[in-house]
């Protein structure tokens, strides 16, 4: 670990605005490509998510990628999907993660197998993401596995869940998020949302429900690469919110990559002023090099 290493949990508990970022685990049997990606952003973020077979395609294991992140002096966030493993394998991976000192775990359903490149693969879905949260909660607090078997050593997981920001209807209650809190979730990372006013309305309801006192909310965002990629994300990436005004800004920019950085930095600054938001989660799988400048322009201290 480096002298400046700070765990995500500590950053959030101190009330600092957290910056997390996502790295797709490489399609590689070597650590070198992973290290190259980490080195691009390691000085600009508090923690790095490592995806778990994104797009339902085979990549380096998130557990291995998370271990590599840790060796580079950054706090990793292990992603675990329900799609590829049964409860035995998930509990085994969790014990292994804890043994390696990996405590942050984001639970996800996983992209549908039909979206991938091996559509004849069998999806597992033995348990759901809420159950994984409950497993970690039992391991942390009771020191037992799902079957009730005692662990020789307890872990200290910092469990997380995912959410999609949406227009809160008058009768909307954040039941799913409350269930995640009751199952032990401590932080939430959201899908992309480039609409600060929508985020404000959504978070107002989260605050009213008392959920921002139970979990730390980290809003998904990222430096756009082009107007074409923005349109693709809006149309094809489930749960993504990108207003037409953002796409028009990208279309009218002489330097679209720079404009994407500016837009993202502006949004991060605006998120800091919204009650209940504790950080920003940057996703830019084909534009990682834009993350350091984005964070710098947002005025966020790491």
């Amino acid at each position: 670990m480096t002298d400046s290493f700070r765990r995500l949990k500590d950053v959030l508990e101190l009330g600092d605005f957290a910056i997390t970022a996502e790295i797709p685990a490489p399609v590689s049997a070597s650590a070198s490509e992973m290290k190259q990606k980490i080195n691009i952003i390691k000085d600009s973020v508090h923690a790095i998510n490592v995806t778990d077979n994104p797009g339902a395609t085979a990549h380096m294991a998130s557990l291995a990628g998370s271990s590599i992140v840790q060796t580079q002096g950054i706090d990793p966030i292990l992603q675990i999907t329900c799609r590829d493993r049964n409860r035995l394998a998930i509990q085994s991976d969790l014990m292994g993660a804890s043994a390696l000192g990996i405590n942050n775990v984001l639970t996800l359903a996983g992209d549908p197998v039909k979206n991938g490149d091996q559509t004849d693969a069998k999806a597992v879905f033995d348990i759901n993401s809420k159950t994984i949260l409950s497993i970690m909660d039992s391991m942390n607090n009771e020191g037992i596995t799902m079957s009730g078997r005692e662990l020789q050593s307890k872990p200290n997981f910092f469990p997380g869940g995912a959410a999609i920001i949406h227009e809160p209807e008058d009768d909307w209650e954040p039941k799913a998020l409350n269930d995640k809190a009751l199952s032990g979730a401590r932080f939430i990372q959201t899908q992309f949302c480039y609409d600060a006013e929508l985020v404000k309305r959504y978070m107002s309801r989260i605050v009213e429900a008392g959920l921002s006192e139970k979990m730390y909310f980290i809003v998904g965002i990222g430096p756009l690469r082009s107007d074409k990629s923005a349109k693709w994300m809006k149309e094809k990436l489930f749960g993504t919110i990108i207003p037409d005004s953002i796409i028009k800004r990208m279309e009218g920019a002489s330097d679209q990559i720079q404009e994407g950085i500016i837009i993202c930095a502006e949004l991060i600054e605006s998120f800091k002023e919204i009650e209940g938001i504790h950080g920003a989660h940057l996703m830019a799988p084909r534009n990682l090099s834009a993350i350091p400048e984005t964070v710098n322009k947002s005025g966020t201290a790491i």
Side-chain angles (χ1 to χ4, degrees):
M1 299 297 176
T2 63
D3 292 338
S4 60
F5 179 83
R6 298 176 70 197
R7 292 203 176 274
L8 175 63
K9 181 175 183 284
D10 296 334
V11 172
L12 292 166
E13 289 183 348
L14 284 170
D16 293 342
F17 192 85
I19 297 290
T20 61
E22 183 174 287
I23 289 181
V27 182
S28 174
S30 166
S32 60
E33 292 90 352
M34 190 71 193
K35 288 179 180 177
Q36 287 170 10
K37 292 180 178 182
I38 295 164
N39 287 333
I40 292 170
I41 63 173
K42 62 182 287 187
D43 296 325
S44 303
V45 301
H46 293 110
I48 294 175
N49 288 55
V50 181
T51 57
D52 185 11
N53 287 346
T57 58
H59 292 67
M60 178 189 291
S62 179
L63 182 54
S66 295
S67 181
I68 295 168
V69 168
Q70 190 161 243
T71 66
Q72 302 305 296
I74 305 296
D75 202 18
I77 302 174
L78 170 69
Q79 293 191 184
I80 292 183
T81 67
C82 305
R83 181 195 57 226
D84 301 333
R85 301 170 188 80
N86 68 11
R87 66 192 67 192
L88 297 177
I90 287 171
Q91 289 172 92
S92 177
D93 281 353
L94 287 171
M95 285 185 255
S98 180
L100 292 170
I102 297 166
N103 296 321
N104 309 312
V105 181
L106 181 70
T107 61
L108 300 163
D111 298 318
V113 167
K114 66 180 182 180
N115 293 356
D117 58 0
Q118 298 177 64
T119 55
D120 55 344
K122 291 183 179 179
V124 181
F125 294 111
D126 179 32
I127 54 177
N128 61 27
S129 59
K130 191 174 72 173
T131 303
I132 302 177
L133 290 169
S134 296
I135 289 169
M136 285 190 279
D137 192 56
S138 295
M139 285 182 169
N140 278 349
N141 297 309
E142 300 171 58
I144 58 173
T145 66
M146 194 176 182
S147 69
R149 189 173 185 181
E150 185 177 351
L151 295 167
Q152 290 180 286
S153 298
K154 285 184 181 181
N156 187 27
F157 291 122
F158 189 57
I164 291 173
I165 293 175
H166 58 86
E167 190 67 59
E169 302 296 335
D170 290 342
D171 60 349
W172 178 67
E173 294 182 10
K175 185 179 182 302
L177 283 170
N178 189 57
D179 287 346
K180 289 182 181 183
L182 291 172
S183 297
R186 296 292 311 285
F187 71 94
I188 295 292
Q189 290 177 316
T190 80
Q191 178 62 291
F192 291 104
C193 186
Y194 290 80
D195 187 335
E197 290 304 312
L198 174 58
V199 172
K200 191 180 295 184
R201 294 191 296 274
Y202 177 85
M203 288 307 304
S204 174
R205 300 290 288 278
I206 295 297
V207 171
E208 284 176 14
L211 287 174
S212 62
E213 296 174 10
K214 298 176 181 178
M215 300 183 291
Y216 299 100
F217 282 78
I218 303 172
V219 178
I221 198 72
L224 297 166
R225 200 169 46 147
S226 67
D227 65 296
K228 288 182 180 179
S229 63
K231 290 173 185 173
W232 182 89
M233 289 165 61
K234 181 173 182 172
E235 294 169 5
K236 304 291 187 182
L237 203 54
F238 178 74
T240 295
I241 303 292
I242 303 181
D244 290 339
S245 58
I246 296 291
I247 293 174
K248 287 178 182 177
R249 272 187 68 174
M250 291 296 293
E251 287 174 339
S254 56
D255 184 338
Q256 293 197 342
I257 288 180
Q258 190 61 33
E259 188 68 16
I261 289 170
I262 293 169
I263 289 169
C264 189
E266 290 173 355
L267 284 164
I268 292 171
E269 288 183 89
S270 70
F271 293 163
K272 292 176 185 177
E273 305 302 318
I274 299 175
E275 185 180 359
I277 293 181
H278 306 95
H281 178 50
L282 302 182
M283 296 172 279
R286 294 179 178 83
N287 198 22
L288 279 179
S289 59
I291 286 179
E293 187 178 351
T294 300
V295 176
N296 185 54
K297 282 187 180 296
S298 76
T300 308
I302 302 298

